[in-house]
Amino acid sequence: MLRLDNLAKRYKTGDHALRGVSLEVDRGQIVGLIGPSGAGKSTLIRCINRLVEPTGGKVYLNDVELTSMSGADLRRVRRRIGMIFQEYALVERLTVMENVLSGRLGYVPFWRSFLRRYPQADVDKAFALLERVGLAEHADKRADELSGGQRQRVGIARALEQDPELLLIDEPTASLDPKTSRQIMRLIREICEERSLPAVINIHDVLLARMFVDRIIGLTAGEVVFDGPPAELDDAVLTRIYGAEDWTAMQTAAAEDAEDAEDAAAAHGGHVRRAAEGERPEERLAGLA
Amino acid sequence: MSTAAAGRRWRRPPVLIQSRRTRWLVYGGLLIYLALAISTVEVNWLRVYEGLDRGWRFAQGFLAPDFVSRWKDISQGLAESLTMTVTSTVVGVLLAVPIGIGAARNVAPMPIYLFCRAIIALSRTFQEVIVAIFFVAMFGFGPFAGFLTLAFATIGFMAKLLAEDIEDIDEAQAEAVRATGASFPQLINYGIQPQVMPRLIGLSLYRLDINFRESAVIGIVGAGGIGATLNTAIDRYEYDSAGAILLLIILIVMAAEYSSSHVRGWVQ
């Protein structure tokens, strides 16, 4: 599906952001990319869709090599790679619907996007996706009127509107509270499962990564230092990735924080049916919207 | 309860010049220069005395403006000025948009960037009056020269500010649009236009009222419009008509100012 072959990036300043990263991601697999700030996580996922130009190595998507493409070919590949961003990166002054439809930009000619005359099929899909992420009634609101969690769901809908074969997700929860973070991660997980979409997720939060991904890759100083299932991610491995720290204490504290936040939200939001994990997540999302 | 700190004096540390002596030298030197410079300005007090009279007549004209006797000239001049202002602003802004995009470092490749920056520099180097004299020499007296002058000045002004605004956008939004596989015009339309539009509209309105004021000035060097009428009135010592013209200019500028601030608030 996705294959990176000895991918390297060296910035003009001389910093080696990536030093020969090789990995493969299979269909439907959700990969969490963890590592300290500056380890090259963002660079790595941006090298895949060439928002950042790699300086060495190759990227293959379905055995098509992306690194040598340019112009229209590159755009044709990019439109099949959905991307979800930290801080959402919605076009703030456009409506929710325009943001979702912008996922079709790679498919439609300029005049259609300029006049906002998208083919009916695209509009239908956009409404269906908004429904799916629980924002159907917000279609004509401006993106900057929404809350953080809502915006990220618009971001998800935009990425899916592209009919992606692969999702690249850059710190999806970095600016969200613990509860919303879990909901967003759960939504991403479900959507990937529904469509057997592979995803590469940069994620700061190790606990969240453990909870929601199939495979974890640890990146330190531009090199892969761990690659395995979440279960194998023990203190020794974390120390290898992040450096020495009292991991157990941090995790306990973080888990308590998250629970506190959920309790508080439940107390305020009147979540009476708090069979939390048993409840169907999309209903909870729709209810919150 | 610490007594050690009691009675400790504090003075703000000097901001610009650290040494007390240089500070006195610099400020003292500046004062002396100012005094000497003023003393070299020659004032012919007799001439000032005579001029007071003329100034008074001018002021009287203002106080008793005569809209009627030259109304035909005035209304024609105003109409010409307004036409000149609107057409030159529209044309100037339309031309400034592509140039402004080309002059934004974060979207344009180097050669285009330099080319557009050169156009902006050229347009901004020459003051409107000088450009107007040039165009009047080239195309003769009248509003066409004025239209060209104002359009030319508008390009430099708008393109520079637009380019700066584009350089200041939130790159994340543009990056997200690029990631969807958007082409360059789509990137501009979705990633950049929504971010710069309110300011572009605000600046265009601002430029509209600058152009109106400028049209009065460049009329004096022959570029048509209300400036030409004003110049004629002053040449004929018809200060009451001149006063009427100035009052009308002030009213129109104020109206433009007031409505543009409303529109700016509305497009945010």
Side-chain angles (χ1 to χ4, degrees):
Chain A
M1 185 68 214
L2 173 71
R3 186 152 59 87
L4 308 186
D5 186 12
N6 210 16
L7 196 66
K9 171 68 187 177
R10 183 166 174 243
Y11 283 106
K12 281 192 194 115
T13 51
D15 299 334
H16 287 275
L18 298 174
R19 305 164 188 261
V21 173
S22 297
L23 55 91
E24 261 180 77
V25 179
D26 294 328
R27 195 161 179 74
Q29 190 176 49
I30 301 177
V31 179
L33 207 55
I34 65 171
S37 308
K41 304 190 299 282
S42 264
T43 306
L44 178 58
I45 68 166
R46 281 173 171 73
C47 279
I48 296 173
N49 64 354
R50 303 259 311 274
L51 287 175
V52 167
E53 225 36 77
T55 44
K58 291 188 161 61
V59 177
Y60 297 89
L61 183 64
N62 294 327
D63 294 319
V64 179
E65 201 219 300
L66 311 189
T67 18
S68 58
M69 288 186 166
S70 64
D73 287 335
L74 177 61
R75 291 202 300 274
R76 212 163 301 139
V77 174
R78 255 188 203 155
R79 71 185 187 189
R80 300 304 302 274
I81 304 178
M83 195 156 178
I84 297 167
F85 296 82
Q86 182 178 8
E87 314 268 358
Y88 336 119
L90 301 180
V91 182
E92 305 265 310
R93 281 208 182 82
L94 294 183
T95 61
V96 167
M97 195 59 179
E98 282 171 301
N99 270 291
V100 177
L101 284 170
S102 72
R104 300 306 290 178
L105 287 176
Y107 294 87
V108 301
F110 177 68
W111 70 268
R112 275 192 181 276
S113 64
F114 182 74
L115 298 173
R116 311 300 197 251
R117 297 246 181 258
Y118 285 86
Q120 190 56 46
D122 293 355
V123 178
D124 291 343
K125 195 202 316 267
F127 273 120
L129 283 169
L130 281 178
E131 194 93 35
R132 173 66 184 85
V133 299
L135 290 173
E137 69 273 37
H138 296 292
D140 285 330
K141 271 198 187 161
R142 243 166 71 156
D144 53 8
E145 289 174 52
L146 303 184
S147 70
Q150 291 174 324
R151 287 190 205 194
Q152 194 54 293
R153 279 183 265 150
V154 177
I156 293 170
R158 170 173 66 187
L160 295 176
E161 179 79 8
Q162 287 178 244
D163 280 330
E165 297 175 297
L166 167 69
L167 282 183
L168 302 175
I169 309 179
D170 190 17
E171 302 284 358
T173 61
S175 24
L176 300 173
D177 64 69
K179 182 186 169 79
T180 317
S181 294
R182 287 177 188 216
Q183 291 172 339
I184 290 292
M185 286 302 290
R186 196 175 290 126
L187 178 64
I188 289 171
R189 162 113 226 159
E190 284 165 17
I191 282 169
C192 287
E193 278 167 0
E194 281 165 20
R195 304 168 178 237
S196 43
L197 260 178
V200 180
I201 309 181
N202 276 349
I203 187 156
H204 245 44
D205 189 329
V206 176
L207 288 168
L208 220 51
R210 268 210 184 121
M211 227 180 292
F212 290 104
V213 306
D214 303 324
R215 171 182 167 195
I216 285 183
I217 293 176
L219 206 62
T220 301
E223 279 170 300
V224 175
V225 293
F226 172 80
D227 186 348
E232 286 175 22
L233 195 68
D234 54 24
D235 288 6
V237 174
L238 283 171
T239 304
R240 185 144 36 99
I241 299 173
Y242 288 98
E245 176 59 68
D246 188 350
W247 297 107
T248 328
M250 184 198 83
Q251 282 167 37
T252 327
E256 278 166 8
D257 279 353
E259 265 166 36
D260 286 350
E262 285 210 0
D263 289 345
H268 289 295
H271 257 291
V272 191
R273 309 166 293 145
R274 201 166 166 276
E277 306 309 316
E279 198 178 354
R280 289 198 56 201
E282 59 265 52
E283 282 171 10
R284 292 177 59 195
L285 283 172
L288 274 158
Chain B
M1 286 290 144
S2 82
T3 49
R8 241 174 97 179
R9 277 166 48 102
W10 181 85
R11 282 273 176 82
R12 192 184 69 149
V15 181
L16 290 177
I17 306 164
Q18 294 298 324
S19 145
R20 196 186 175 86
R21 232 182 58 197
T22 23
R23 200 163 55 222
W24 281 109
L25 273 175
V26 169
Y27 291 158
L30 278 175
L31 265 178
I32 293 168
Y33 176 77
L34 191 66
L36 289 175
I38 289 173
S39 70
T40 62
V41 177
E42 284 175 32
V43 184
N44 182 347
W45 292 106
L46 195 70
R47 173 65 187 78
V48 171
Y49 178 73
E50 284 170 11
L52 278 180
D53 189 42
R54 266 190 241 181
W56 176 237
R57 268 191 289 143
F58 197 94
Q60 267 183 323
F62 238 132
L63 293 175
D66 175 8
F67 293 88
V68 188
S69 38
R70 294 281 172 198
W71 179 245
K72 238 190 108 192
D73 293 344
I74 295 175
S75 61
Q76 200 192 337
L78 273 180
E80 224 171 72
S81 261
L82 287 172
T83 318
M84 216 156 83
T85 306
V86 173
T87 51
S88 65
T89 308
V90 171
V91 170
V93 170
L94 289 180
L95 291 174
V97 167
I99 295 171
I101 292 170
R105 192 64 209 95
N106 53 346
V107 286
M110 206 43 162
I112 295 179
Y113 168 77
L114 291 175
F115 176 70
C116 293
R117 283 284 166 181
I119 297 179
I120 292 174
L122 185 76
S123 157
R124 286 170 54 80
T125 311
F126 297 104
Q127 216 278 332
E128 278 91 336
V129 173
I130 296 166
V131 180
I133 293 172
F134 171 74
F135 280 130
V136 168
M138 210 160 141
F139 299 101
F141 292 106
F144 183 62
F147 159 76
L148 288 176
T149 306
L150 295 178
F152 180 73
T154 304
I155 291 173
F157 176 90
M158 292 297 298
K160 181 180 160 68
L161 293 173
L162 177 62
E164 270 163 20
D165 210 20
I166 292 177
E167 284 169 355
D168 282 345
I169 59 163
D170 173 11
E171 290 286 350
Q173 300 182 29
E175 185 186 41
V177 173
R178 232 154 40 93
T180 64
S183 61
F184 184 74
Q186 288 173 327
L187 171 68
I188 299 288
N189 184 218
Y190 278 71
I192 291 169
Q193 190 192 331
Q195 295 192 57
V196 301
M197 209 54 188
R199 200 164 135 77
L200 184 66
I201 293 173
L203 286 171
S204 303
L205 291 170
Y206 179 46
R207 187 65 215 185
L208 188 77
D209 81 52
I210 296 179
N211 278 349
F212 183 75
R213 269 178 288 151
E214 289 297 335
S215 82
V217 176
I218 61 176
I220 295 174
V221 298
I226 191 70
T229 321
L230 180 65
N231 196 32
T232 315
I234 293 174
D235 281 349
R236 291 178 183 153
Y237 300 105
E238 292 171 356
Y239 292 132
D240 43 4
S241 295
I245 293 169
L246 288 174
L247 282 176
L248 285 172
I249 292 175
I250 292 168
L251 276 180
I252 292 175
V253 169
M254 275 171 64
E257 177 75 43
Y258 181 75
S259 50
S260 72
S261 70
H262 264 267
V263 176
R264 264 182 296 216
W266 171 68
V267 294
Q268 264 310 307

